[in-house]
């Protein structure tokens, strides 16, 4: 377990998946990240790479060959190298290897940097194409934030405020794939009240959300998590059934649409990098 901290926050990470597993507000002792109870969902903040969501038939086609790929890709199941670390920063790196090339025929490097400044944790991603050919990939974040239901608080005391959306256009999930149909959720004052029922049909998947800042807050106290992100065009919000957490998920890429032809180069949201080209994105969480 790798730990970084400053006077306000302490963050811990697992080399397996370079996963953020704990973020503690040192001023209050409060844990911000979901506990990872496997009875509901054993994850905490997995990295989704080189795919986001499920593939149709758990497979894709590239250059007339079919490859199998698990939901959300393989990075969360790989050990990352700690490239360097300091008191308030750590950098993880993952490279293609003989194992990954069997089901993902591309050479790549994926660097993830976590930095603490004051009361903010920022996560930076850098994907580089180290192949001689074009690299196709998606990447997404999946942090789960704990919802406090103790001391007289309830799940529905929480809400998410959006910086720039009056309504949300949702793509329903059907057997983990994206429906071509959409549903609209109207917001009150740009705010979405949380409830267990909200996620009864799985995640809320959005491909045209305008907001780049979301605030998860409790309307009974001053607890607030400010979530910002850059260079992620798609977004998911999710929780397991009756579980006391909510995931705020910025994505570059989404699950396959129901009618997708499984051609990896034509997958919705897929990115293409030329030789030696790289791609950067980030998200941050500020604790108040």
């Amino acid at each position: 377990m790798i730990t970084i901290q400053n006077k306000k926050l302490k963050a811990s990470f697992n080399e397996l998946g370079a996963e953020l597993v704990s973020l503690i507000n040192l001023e209050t002792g409060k844990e911000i990240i979901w506990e990872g109870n496997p009875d509901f969902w054993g994850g905490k903040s997995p990295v989704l790479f080189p795919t986001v969501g499920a593939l149709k038939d758990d497979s894709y086609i590239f250059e007339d060959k079919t490859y199998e790929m698990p939901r959300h890709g393989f990075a969360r199941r790989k050990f990352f190298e700690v490239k360097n670390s300091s008191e308030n920063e750590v950098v993880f790196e993952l490279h293609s290897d003989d194992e990954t090339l069997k089901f993902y025929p591309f050479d790549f490097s994926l660097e993830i940097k976590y930095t603490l400044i004051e009361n903010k944790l920022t996560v930076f991603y850098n994907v580089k194409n180290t192949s001689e050919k074009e690299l196709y990939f998606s990447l997404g974040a999946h942090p789960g934030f704990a919802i406090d239901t103790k001391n007289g608080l309830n799940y529905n005391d929480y809400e998410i405020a959006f910086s720039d959306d009056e309504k949300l256009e949702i793509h329903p999930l059907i057997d983990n794939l994206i429906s071509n149909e959409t549903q609209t959720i109207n917001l009150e004052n740009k705010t979405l009240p949380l409830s267990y029922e909200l996620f009864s049909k799985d995640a809320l998947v959005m491909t045209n959300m305008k907001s780049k800042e979301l605030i998860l807050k409790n309307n009974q106290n001053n607890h607030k998590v400010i979530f910002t992100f850059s260079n992620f065009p798609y977004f998911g919000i999710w929780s397991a059934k009756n579980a006391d957490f909510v995931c705020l998920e910025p994505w570059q890429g989404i699950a396959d649409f129901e009618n997708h032809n499984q051609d990896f180069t034509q997958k919705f949201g897929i990115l293409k990098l030329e030789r030696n080209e790289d791609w950067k994105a980030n998200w941050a969480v500020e604790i108040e």
Side-chain angles (χ1 to χ4, degrees), residues 128-139:
K128 184 174 182 178
N129 180 7
T130 59
S131 298
E132 295 298 321
K133 58 186 178 183
E134 296 168 334
L135 169 71
Y136 291 88
F137 75 97
S138 290
L139 186 147

mmCIF file with all atom_site columns, all heavy atoms in Angstrom, residues 128-139:
data_model
loop_
_atom_site.group_PDB
_atom_site.id
_atom_site.type_symbol
_atom_site.label_atom_id
_atom_site.label_alt_id
_atom_site.label_comp_id
_atom_site.label_asym_id
_atom_site.label_entity_id
_atom_site.label_seq_id
_atom_site.pdbx_PDB_ins_code
_atom_site.Cartn_x
_atom_site.Cartn_y
_atom_site.Cartn_z
_atom_site.occupancy
_atom_site.B_iso_or_equiv
_atom_site.pdbx_formal_charge
_atom_site.auth_seq_id
_atom_site.auth_comp_id
_atom_site.auth_asym_id
_atom_site.auth_atom_id
_atom_site.pdbx_PDB_model_num
ATOM 1   N N   . LYS A 1 128 ? 0.276   6.756  -23.822 1.00 0.00 ? 128 LYS A N   1
ATOM 2   C CA  . LYS A 1 128 ? 1.177   6.974  -24.951 1.00 0.00 ? 128 LYS A CA  1
ATOM 3   C C   . LYS A 1 128 ? 1.198   5.743  -25.844 1.00 0.00 ? 128 LYS A C   1
ATOM 4   O O   . LYS A 1 128 ? 1.230   4.610  -25.362 1.00 0.00 ? 128 LYS A O   1
ATOM 5   C CB  . LYS A 1 128 ? 2.599   7.283  -24.475 1.00 0.00 ? 128 LYS A CB  1
ATOM 6   C CG  . LYS A 1 128 ? 3.552   7.620  -25.625 1.00 0.00 ? 128 LYS A CG  1
ATOM 7   C CD  . LYS A 1 128 ? 4.915   8.070  -25.121 1.00 0.00 ? 128 LYS A CD  1
ATOM 8   C CE  . LYS A 1 128 ? 5.821   8.446  -26.290 1.00 0.00 ? 128 LYS A CE  1
ATOM 9   N NZ  . LYS A 1 128 ? 7.149   8.935  -25.832 1.00 0.00 ? 128 LYS A NZ  1
ATOM 10  N N   . ASN A 1 129 ? 1.167   5.989  -27.144 1.00 0.00 ? 129 ASN A N   1
ATOM 11  C CA  . ASN A 1 129 ? 1.266   4.916  -28.126 1.00 0.00 ? 129 ASN A CA  1
ATOM 12  C C   . ASN A 1 129 ? 2.735   4.586  -28.364 1.00 0.00 ? 129 ASN A C   1
ATOM 13  O O   . ASN A 1 129 ? 3.474   5.379  -28.927 1.00 0.00 ? 129 ASN A O   1
ATOM 14  C CB  . ASN A 1 129 ? 0.603   5.341  -29.440 1.00 0.00 ? 129 ASN A CB  1
ATOM 15  C CG  . ASN A 1 129 ? 0.673   4.251  -30.501 1.00 0.00 ? 129 ASN A CG  1
ATOM 16  O OD1 . ASN A 1 129 ? 1.104   3.135  -30.229 1.00 0.00 ? 129 ASN A OD1 1
ATOM 17  N ND2 . ASN A 1 129 ? 0.245   4.585  -31.708 1.00 0.00 ? 129 ASN A ND2 1
ATOM 18  N N   . THR A 1 130 ? 3.162   3.429  -27.902 1.00 0.00 ? 130 THR A N   1
ATOM 19  C CA  . THR A 1 130 ? 4.535   2.977  -28.136 1.00 0.00 ? 130 THR A CA  1
ATOM 20  C C   . THR A 1 130 ? 4.585   1.924  -29.238 1.00 0.00 ? 130 THR A C   1
ATOM 21  O O   . THR A 1 130 ? 5.603   1.236  -29.408 1.00 0.00 ? 130 THR A O   1
ATOM 22  C CB  . THR A 1 130 ? 5.141   2.418  -26.838 1.00 0.00 ? 130 THR A CB  1
ATOM 23  O OG1 . THR A 1 130 ? 4.341   1.333  -26.360 1.00 0.00 ? 130 THR A OG1 1
ATOM 24  C CG2 . THR A 1 130 ? 5.215   3.497  -25.768 1.00 0.00 ? 130 THR A CG2 1
ATOM 25  N N   . SER A 1 131 ? 3.460   1.795  -29.998 1.00 0.00 ? 131 SER A N   1
ATOM 26  C CA  . SER A 1 131 ? 3.389   0.862  -31.113 1.00 0.00 ? 131 SER A CA  1
ATOM 27  C C   . SER A 1 131 ? 3.968   1.486  -32.377 1.00 0.00 ? 131 SER A C   1
ATOM 28  O O   . SER A 1 131 ? 4.161   2.701  -32.464 1.00 0.00 ? 131 SER A O   1
ATOM 29  C CB  . SER A 1 131 ? 1.934   0.469  -31.399 1.00 0.00 ? 131 SER A CB  1
ATOM 30  O OG  . SER A 1 131 ? 1.329   -0.183 -30.326 1.00 0.00 ? 131 SER A OG  1
ATOM 31  N N   . GLU A 1 132 ? 4.187   0.642  -33.350 1.00 0.00 ? 132 GLU A N   1
ATOM 32  C CA  . GLU A 1 132 ? 4.543   1.124  -34.689 1.00 0.00 ? 132 GLU A CA  1
ATOM 33  C C   . GLU A 1 132 ? 3.293   1.455  -35.499 1.00 0.00 ? 132 GLU A C   1
ATOM 34  O O   . GLU A 1 132 ? 3.371   2.070  -36.557 1.00 0.00 ? 132 GLU A O   1
ATOM 35  C CB  . GLU A 1 132 ? 5.369   0.061  -35.429 1.00 0.00 ? 132 GLU A CB  1
ATOM 36  C CG  . GLU A 1 132 ? 6.721   -0.220 -34.802 1.00 0.00 ? 132 GLU A CG  1
ATOM 37  C CD  . GLU A 1 132 ? 7.630   1.001  -34.799 1.00 0.00 ? 132 GLU A CD  1
ATOM 38  O OE1 . GLU A 1 132 ? 7.623   1.752  -35.793 1.00 0.00 ? 132 GLU A OE1 1
ATOM 39  O OE2 . GLU A 1 132 ? 8.339   1.211  -33.799 1.00 0.00 ? 132 GLU A OE2 1
ATOM 40  N N   . LYS A 1 133 ? 2.121   1.046  -34.965 1.00 0.00 ? 133 LYS A N   1
ATOM 41  C CA  . LYS A 1 133 ? 0.858   1.278  -35.662 1.00 0.00 ? 133 LYS A CA  1
ATOM 42  C C   . LYS A 1 133 ? -0.043  2.146  -34.798 1.00 0.00 ? 133 LYS A C   1
ATOM 43  O O   . LYS A 1 133 ? 0.325   2.551  -33.692 1.00 0.00 ? 133 LYS A O   1
ATOM 44  C CB  . LYS A 1 133 ? 0.181   -0.057 -35.958 1.00 0.00 ? 133 LYS A CB  1
ATOM 45  C CG  . LYS A 1 133 ? -0.100  -0.886 -34.702 1.00 0.00 ? 133 LYS A CG  1
ATOM 46  C CD  . LYS A 1 133 ? -0.645  -2.260 -35.055 1.00 0.00 ? 133 LYS A CD  1
ATOM 47  C CE  . LYS A 1 133 ? -0.877  -3.107 -33.804 1.00 0.00 ? 133 LYS A CE  1
ATOM 48  N NZ  . LYS A 1 133 ? -1.343  -4.473 -34.134 1.00 0.00 ? 133 LYS A NZ  1
ATOM 49  N N   . GLU A 1 134 ? -1.224  2.446  -35.292 1.00 0.00 ? 134 GLU A N   1
ATOM 50  C CA  . GLU A 1 134 ? -2.185  3.244  -34.532 1.00 0.00 ? 134 GLU A CA  1
ATOM 51  C C   . GLU A 1 134 ? -2.663  2.481  -33.298 1.00 0.00 ? 134 GLU A C   1
ATOM 52  O O   . GLU A 1 134 ? -2.795  1.260  -33.321 1.00 0.00 ? 134 GLU A O   1
ATOM 53  C CB  . GLU A 1 134 ? -3.378  3.601  -35.428 1.00 0.00 ? 134 GLU A CB  1
ATOM 54  C CG  . GLU A 1 134 ? -3.005  4.484  -36.612 1.00 0.00 ? 134 GLU A CG  1
ATOM 55  C CD  . GLU A 1 134 ? -4.125  4.573  -37.631 1.00 0.00 ? 134 GLU A CD  1
ATOM 56  O OE1 . GLU A 1 134 ? -4.938  3.622  -37.699 1.00 0.00 ? 134 GLU A OE1 1
ATOM 57  O OE2 . GLU A 1 134 ? -4.185  5.574  -38.374 1.00 0.00 ? 134 GLU A OE2 1
ATOM 58  N N   . LEU A 1 135 ? -2.916  3.234  -32.229 1.00 0.00 ? 135 LEU A N   1
ATOM 59  C CA  . LEU A 1 135 ? -3.399  2.670  -30.964 1.00 0.00 ? 135 LEU A CA  1
ATOM 60  C C   . LEU A 1 135 ? -4.840  3.105  -30.748 1.00 0.00 ? 135 LEU A C   1
ATOM 61  O O   . LEU A 1 135 ? -5.162  4.291  -30.829 1.00 0.00 ? 135 LEU A O   1
ATOM 62  C CB  . LEU A 1 135 ? -2.528  3.163  -29.807 1.00 0.00 ? 135 LEU A CB  1
ATOM 63  C CG  . LEU A 1 135 ? -3.033  2.884  -28.383 1.00 0.00 ? 135 LEU A CG  1
ATOM 64  C CD1 . LEU A 1 135 ? -2.918  1.398  -28.065 1.00 0.00 ? 135 LEU A CD1 1
ATOM 65  C CD2 . LEU A 1 135 ? -2.250  3.697  -27.358 1.00 0.00 ? 135 LEU A CD2 1
ATOM 66  N N   . TYR A 1 136 ? -5.721  2.148  -30.454 1.00 0.00 ? 136 TYR A N   1
ATOM 67  C CA  . TYR A 1 136 ? -7.119  2.434  -30.168 1.00 0.00 ? 136 TYR A CA  1
ATOM 68  C C   . TYR A 1 136 ? -7.385  2.090  -28.695 1.00 0.00 ? 136 TYR A C   1
ATOM 69  O O   . TYR A 1 136 ? -6.995  1.020  -28.216 1.00 0.00 ? 136 TYR A O   1
ATOM 70  C CB  . TYR A 1 136 ? -8.043  1.610  -31.061 1.00 0.00 ? 136 TYR A CB  1
ATOM 71  C CG  . TYR A 1 136 ? -8.000  2.011  -32.513 1.00 0.00 ? 136 TYR A CG  1
ATOM 72  C CD1 . TYR A 1 136 ? -7.063  1.449  -33.390 1.00 0.00 ? 136 TYR A CD1 1
ATOM 73  C CD2 . TYR A 1 136 ? -8.877  2.964  -33.014 1.00 0.00 ? 136 TYR A CD2 1
ATOM 74  C CE1 . TYR A 1 136 ? -7.018  1.828  -34.722 1.00 0.00 ? 136 TYR A CE1 1
ATOM 75  C CE2 . TYR A 1 136 ? -8.843  3.338  -34.349 1.00 0.00 ? 136 TYR A CE2 1
ATOM 76  C CZ  . TYR A 1 136 ? -7.914  2.772  -35.197 1.00 0.00 ? 136 TYR A CZ  1
ATOM 77  O OH  . TYR A 1 136 ? -7.863  3.150  -36.518 1.00 0.00 ? 136 TYR A OH  1
ATOM 78  N N   . PHE A 1 137 ? -8.068  2.991  -27.990 1.00 0.00 ? 137 PHE A N   1
ATOM 79  C CA  . PHE A 1 137 ? -8.323  2.753  -26.570 1.00 0.00 ? 137 PHE A CA  1
ATOM 80  C C   . PHE A 1 137 ? -9.428  3.664  -26.056 1.00 0.00 ? 137 PHE A C   1
ATOM 81  O O   . PHE A 1 137 ? -9.780  4.676  -26.658 1.00 0.00 ? 137 PHE A O   1
ATOM 82  C CB  . PHE A 1 137 ? -7.047  3.013  -25.741 1.00 0.00 ? 137 PHE A CB  1
ATOM 83  C CG  . PHE A 1 137 ? -6.733  4.473  -25.556 1.00 0.00 ? 137 PHE A CG  1
ATOM 84  C CD1 . PHE A 1 137 ? -7.100  5.145  -24.403 1.00 0.00 ? 137 PHE A CD1 1
ATOM 85  C CD2 . PHE A 1 137 ? -6.093  5.191  -26.559 1.00 0.00 ? 137 PHE A CD2 1
ATOM 86  C CE1 . PHE A 1 137 ? -6.831  6.506  -24.233 1.00 0.00 ? 137 PHE A CE1 1
ATOM 87  C CE2 . PHE A 1 137 ? -5.815  6.545  -26.408 1.00 0.00 ? 137 PHE A CE2 1
ATOM 88  C CZ  . PHE A 1 137 ? -6.183  7.197  -25.239 1.00 0.00 ? 137 PHE A CZ  1
ATOM 89  N N   . SER A 1 138 ? -9.944  3.317  -24.886 1.00 0.00 ? 138 SER A N   1
ATOM 90  C CA  . SER A 1 138 ? -10.781 4.183  -24.067 1.00 0.00 ? 138 SER A CA  1
ATOM 91  C C   . SER A 1 138 ? -10.218 4.165  -22.654 1.00 0.00 ? 138 SER A C   1
ATOM 92  O O   . SER A 1 138 ? -9.470  3.252  -22.289 1.00 0.00 ? 138 SER A O   1
ATOM 93  C CB  . SER A 1 138 ? -12.235 3.719  -24.055 1.00 0.00 ? 138 SER A CB  1
ATOM 94  O OG  . SER A 1 138 ? -12.854 3.924  -25.305 1.00 0.00 ? 138 SER A OG  1
ATOM 95  N N   . LEU A 1 139 ? -10.579 5.162  -21.866 1.00 0.00 ? 139 LEU A N   1
ATOM 96  C CA  . LEU A 1 139 ? -10.149 5.217  -20.473 1.00 0.00 ? 139 LEU A CA  1
ATOM 97  C C   . LEU A 1 139 ? -11.225 5.899  -19.641 1.00 0.00 ? 139 LEU A C   1
ATOM 98  O O   . LEU A 1 139 ? -11.847 6.873  -20.095 1.00 0.00 ? 139 LEU A O   1
ATOM 99  C CB  . LEU A 1 139 ? -8.816  5.959  -20.330 1.00 0.00 ? 139 LEU A CB  1
ATOM 100 C CG  . LEU A 1 139 ? -8.186  5.952  -18.932 1.00 0.00 ? 139 LEU A CG  1
ATOM 101 C CD1 . LEU A 1 139 ? -6.652  5.931  -19.036 1.00 0.00 ? 139 LEU A CD1 1
ATOM 102 C CD2 . LEU A 1 139 ? -8.609  7.153  -18.088 1.00 0.00 ? 139 LEU A CD2 1
#
